[in-house]
Amino acid sequence: MSMATAPASWPLAAAMAAADVDRHLLPLFLRPVLLHGVGAAAHLLLAIAVAGRLIFAAGSHPRKEPAARGAGFRWFRLAVRATWVLAASEVFFAAYSLLSWYLDGGTAWGEPDAVTDQADALSRAVAWLMLAAYLQLEYGRRGEDRFPAPLRLWWALFLLLSVLAVAVHAATILQYKLPVPARSWAYDAVSVLAGAVLLVAGFSSERRGVAGGSASEEPLLNGASENHTVDASMFTGAGFLSVLTFSWMGPLFAVGHSKTLDLDDVPDLDRADSVAGLLPTFKANLEAVTGDGAGGQKVTAFKLTRALVRTVWWHIALTSLYALIYSLAIYVGPFLIDSLVQYLNGDERYASKGKLLVVSFIAAKVFECFSQRHWFFRLQQVGIRTRSALVSVVYQKGLSLSSSSRQSRSSGEMINIISVDADRVGLFSWFMHDFWSVPLQVSMALFILYSTLGIASLAALGATVVVMLATVLPMRMQEKFQEKLMDCKDVRMKATSEILRNMRILKLQGWEMKFLSKIIHLRKTEESWLKKYLYTSTASTFVFWGAPTFVAVVTFGACLLLRIPLDSGKVLSALATFRVLQEPIYTLPDMVSMLIQTKVSLDRIASFLCLEELPMNAVQRLPSGNSDVAIEVSNGCFAWDTSSEVPTLNDLNFQARQGMRVAVCGTVGSGKSSLLSCILGEMPKLSGEVKTCGTMAYVSQSAWIQSGKIKDNILFGKEMDGEKYERVLESCSLKKDLEILPFGDETVIGERGINLSGGQKQRIQIARALYQDADIYLFDDPFSAVDAHTGSHLFKECLLGALGSKTVVYVTHQIEFLPAADLILVMKGGRIAQAGKYNEILGSGEELMELVGAHQDALTALDVIDVTNGGGEATSSSDAASLSRSLSSAEEKDKQNGKELDKVQSGQLVQEEEREKGRVGFWVYWKYLTLAYGGALVPVVLIAQTLFQVLQIASNYWMAWASPVSEDVEPLVGMSTLIYVFVALAGASSLCILVRALFLVTAAYKTATLLFDKMHMSIFRAPMSFFDSTPSGRILNRASTDQSDVDTNIADQMGQVAFSIIQLVGIIAVMSQVAWQVFVVFVPLSVACFWYQRYYIDTARELQRLVGVCKAPIIQHFAESITGSATIRSFGKESEFVSTNSHLMDAFSRPKFYNAAAREWLCFRLDTLSCLTFAFSLIFLISLPTGFIDPAIAGLAVTYGLNLNTLQTWVVWSMCYLENKIISVERILQYISIPEEPPLSMSGDKLPCNWPSEGEIQLHNLHVRYAPQLPFVLKGLTVTFPGAMKTGIVGRTGSGKSTLIQALFRIVDPTIGRILVDGVDICTIGLHDLRCRLSIIPQDPTMFEGTIRSNLDPLGEYNDNQIWEALDNCQLGDEVRRKDLKLDSPVIENGENWSVGQRQLVCLGRVILKRTKILVLDEATASVDTATDNLIQKTLRENFSEATVITIAHRITSVLDSDMVLLLDNGVAVEREKPAKLLEDKSSLFSKLVAEYTMRATHT
């Protein structure tokens, strides 16, 4: 049947028949069969879905009472009414269609258009009637506040189909001059209006429903106040128009404009964006896709991706809809540009279409603006949710890792997973729709090219394919380089993390520059891959910037060969299409690169989630009161390395009843700590059975203290009970310490307890355990870190007193604590060599006798002492107390002078992280630009970009000017000349891009390298006070995240700002060629744009800074949790720590979320202003008389104007984004300007090579404090340590012993007074000159990852024979010889594969190798048993008989053979005399200390 006989029931077919046009002339995209076919299929699926819902879901939901209906009910009524109206309309139109068919005699059924039209009408009527019935009868009965997500998605899709129908009808009129009947327009109007109403109702009900739910049903988290709930609803409860225009951000901008934003000013997140709302869903999805409810042994990158997609599927679906609308809208302009040129040329066919063309252009721009803004906002919301979910699940995994898994991954690697990899997966949300939107946009571009250039569009397709294929090799190379770069970064961050943790020992030994060179060496390896990565990306940049030009050259060349005539309308349409095609082509390299990076990151996260967890069944845990036996180990066999043939612990059998005290003793490395680990379930069990009954508390040998207040460390998540708290402080001897500290128990502890002494840290650990009131207590030798008096007090008050009715297992080297035990386990070689009560086993074996014998030998020096009770307080003590009080009061007055009371917090050692306020200073940009080659490459880059823009405009101008306006006009130049000139100009512009890209990357690489080197040199040369007051998370954040930005982002971003400004100037120049009047609008609108930008940046800048500040606590908390995971698990506090991590994650996400919303708020307003400029230009053009201007040049102006809104927005947005990103440079420059320590060496007078030859140390009126805002620790010491003599320093915990040593090594310089060594003031010589001539065995034994050799001799100064001799001297020779690799035996991070005692012996080996004239022992033998201690003392006497030895010890026996004893109390020298003389005076404090120690020893 011909089209002439088509019935009127199919309007477009009838119209085509009336116009006598063959439907095959219409492209497939515009044919009725496609439009109606898609509509019929979609509505048929809807009908099936609704029918299924009505049949299978009937009665499954209880009816909600009317009183319970929320605010969304009114939206429900609006939606139902709109659905009934639409259903009635559809029925009417279907009936009209059927009636028309009947009146026409039932003809036309053979035509596809007719069949699809009728099917579409019928399916629509049935589907909407069923949907209306469902909403009224089934859904309305349930009375829910929110519509289901699939229904809202359908309404959005229906609106899109309706808008597409309008676009098809408009294109049919404009492009093919076919009339569209009034009925079709009426139908379109009803559909669009109803679709908009339904969409508003659907999404407004969602916002109201969520707001109501979060306010009335969800508990307030983290102590959020009522105000925070109101703030949280700022987005959640916003109305439709407010959400549409981002006006809900107004209140935050008002606050940000009036003051500097703080975190408290930033509203809370919606529950769906918080970890509490996300994590359960994500974990459930992850378990569903892995099919493994137990954990994650089967996690792969693909399964992880599936779980993430299932978690945020609604946002993915919604953003795909926005992306589709945007992709369609951006091609309306290029499609209509030819029609506009013909209209301006006076073509009669377009005489009445000018206003319709303008409306079409502007409507497309409006849809583009709205869809892009909401697309980008929702994408960032997806990214925030993704990152939160990943970091949370990685954190939970980190808490449950087994020991072998923990050793296989360094803390640096784990930090990179949460700081870099999770970030990168979150950023991938920007690119997730490019997989389908890029092919769609390319297809639409080819469709437009085909409609204008015909078969030459195939050349464009071929050129596009060639460009895409050209990316394969660079992309593969980039993937490889990216993986290598990340691997190198992992190694560097691991080393940096370890060095920062142990910076104190590095500075004491004078090794920091050696370890800096190690970091620089690792960075050089990383830089080699960075350089390859950057230059490969340069090749990609050149390919893709040149791609549109290449496609244009190939396409126009094909037109020349195929003799296809080119008029200016076709040329401009093609050029506009090529310009729009730039976006998908530019996006492609970023997408592929990001896909590669994200795949690498997902693989790393998945492999981490697959690590072995601590087995939950290693220990059978019974609830309290279920058994009389508290701990039972039967036939136990355990090993840290399950693959090892020799187990760590073997044949363990023992039982501890409720209320028993069990002591564990033995020599270094015998398995004492491992025994506690097997009870805790921390050690892999090979065979046997472990049972415990009741809750457990654990005190580790190396104190684990969290950053934060002392009070919070003791409470450890429990509610404050004042009476109980005071009892615990008293039992742990902490009251006096808290009185000395400036803020008592509110004092903030630095990272790893750096501002506390070793004894204070241990007592806080014990207090934490006591406050938990557990059933079973495990103590891993906590008494070794405290002095004798405090140790006795702790044992008596804690173990015998407060824990008298509890089950206690304590490891100890102090023999005097053994008789009080109900059961003693003597460990030897991983077995229980003896077990029983003290008197029972004393004579039954040699193991205990060996330890007791060594202890008795140590006590022989005390035999002369007649132990007495009584004696008054020494007057010197009260004098010291008086001096202390007077000093404190003087300091208090000094502090208060000129200071406000609200600044009292400045007395804390650990301050809030400093952040700049206000605008980022110009000096930051200038410093960055001029750092590499003095800024010489910057003008080269700018000139190259300017030339590129000029040549681009010239090539387009040439094509528009030289092409005829229509085919019947004589061309100004020949076709070949036209193309050749265009090729020459285009080729030159591409060359400029290559030059620009190469110089930009060169400058970026050099700048990144210089910033890294300068920052690390500054950090390593910083004084120890910087590390004491700066958590390592802050430093690591700069070394990882900020450095990554500098490496790969900031130069590009700075280039983008300059390049987009140059492009914007070019566009305005072209537009002003046609209508200078555009400046009348452009200038005020530009002023408005920049006013908006300044108003926005006040808030956005601070939000970005808050993002940076809030990231470090996440890293720090993660690192602390991993280190203390055994303690956390033993107390059963995993859930509290997970909650804290969630709170920190939400605190990070809040500024990030509102920063994203702020950006879209700005861009929406800039887009609106740009659309006004473009609209004014179009209206002005169609208002001019025909022939007044050259249509081709006018068309060129409109072609460029199509990009005006995008570019104007991009200029302002990229400036703001750069200001946000440049904060990374600002933060790095902040650390480059850290005050340095004094010089490492003095260039003046050289010290004699044998200095110090005598070893005499003189202290003159020495006053020392750690920071200007803190009180003095040493208060006027005047003491002489004679050369070649042994001096013991004793005193209670916190008396200033370790501070004196730090002053000697100039870790902290004297505030007042001097220290002379052999007459030389140590403040007048270089730090390394001093520290290399002194030796120290520090309080905290430290080993670095590497080998035994590298730990003993990091500088490589000694041969193997000397190292073996040192090992033999420190009792480790036999242990190392048993290892397969001998001196090259591995040492893992923190030396965790060696016991604490063995680590202390390695520290002893270092000083034996060094053999200096002055040796300091700072609690050097605290972690070894008495027998080993005696051997060490003997070794020291043999090797350092001619040296000055200063010993700080809690074991009185360690200082009894000293030539001199110095007793410190509260920073004052109370007594200084020979030990024998002090012992004669029964009233001396030293005599009392010895008496306490002896009493403790003899009473046992």
Side-chain angles (χ1 to χ4, degrees), residues 545-557:
W545 271 82
T549 304
F550 174 70
V551 173
V553 166
V554 170
T555 306
F556 291 144

Side-chain angles (χ1 to χ4, degrees), residues 1192-1213:
I1193 302 305
L1196 180 66
V1198 175
T1199 302
Y1200 272 87
L1202 286 171
N1203 287 340
L1204 179 64
N1205 72 309
T1206 304
L1207 203 55
Q1208 195 168 353
T1209 302
W1210 182 248
V1211 167
V1212 178
W1213 185 83

Side-chain angles (χ1 to χ4, degrees), residues 693-769:
C693 178
T695 55
M696 202 171 287
Y698 170 60
V699 178
S700 57
Q701 187 172 13
S702 298
W704 177 72
I705 301 291
Q706 284 182 275
S707 303
K709 295 176 182 175
I710 290 175
K711 180 169 70 177
D712 294 336
N713 267 278
I714 295 172
L715 296 180
F716 208 46
K718 283 236 176 187
E719 291 293 324
M720 166 62 90
D721 177 342
E723 188 179 330
K724 178 180 171 184
Y725 184 73
E726 289 299 319
R727 281 201 313 270
V728 167
L729 293 183
E730 184 66 45
S731 298
C732 297
S733 299
L734 279 170
K735 285 202 165 184
K736 186 178 178 184
D737 299 89
L738 295 181
E739 287 167 10
I740 295 170
L741 291 169
F743 295 95
D745 63 359
E746 295 289 328
T747 301
V748 175
I749 302 174
E751 193 174 18
R752 301 182 312 280
I754 45 178
N755 49 336
L756 298 175
S757 71
Q760 287 169 331
K761 284 189 277 190
Q762 279 293 12
R763 282 181 288 127
I764 288 172
Q765 270 211 127
I766 296 170
R768 176 172 65 204

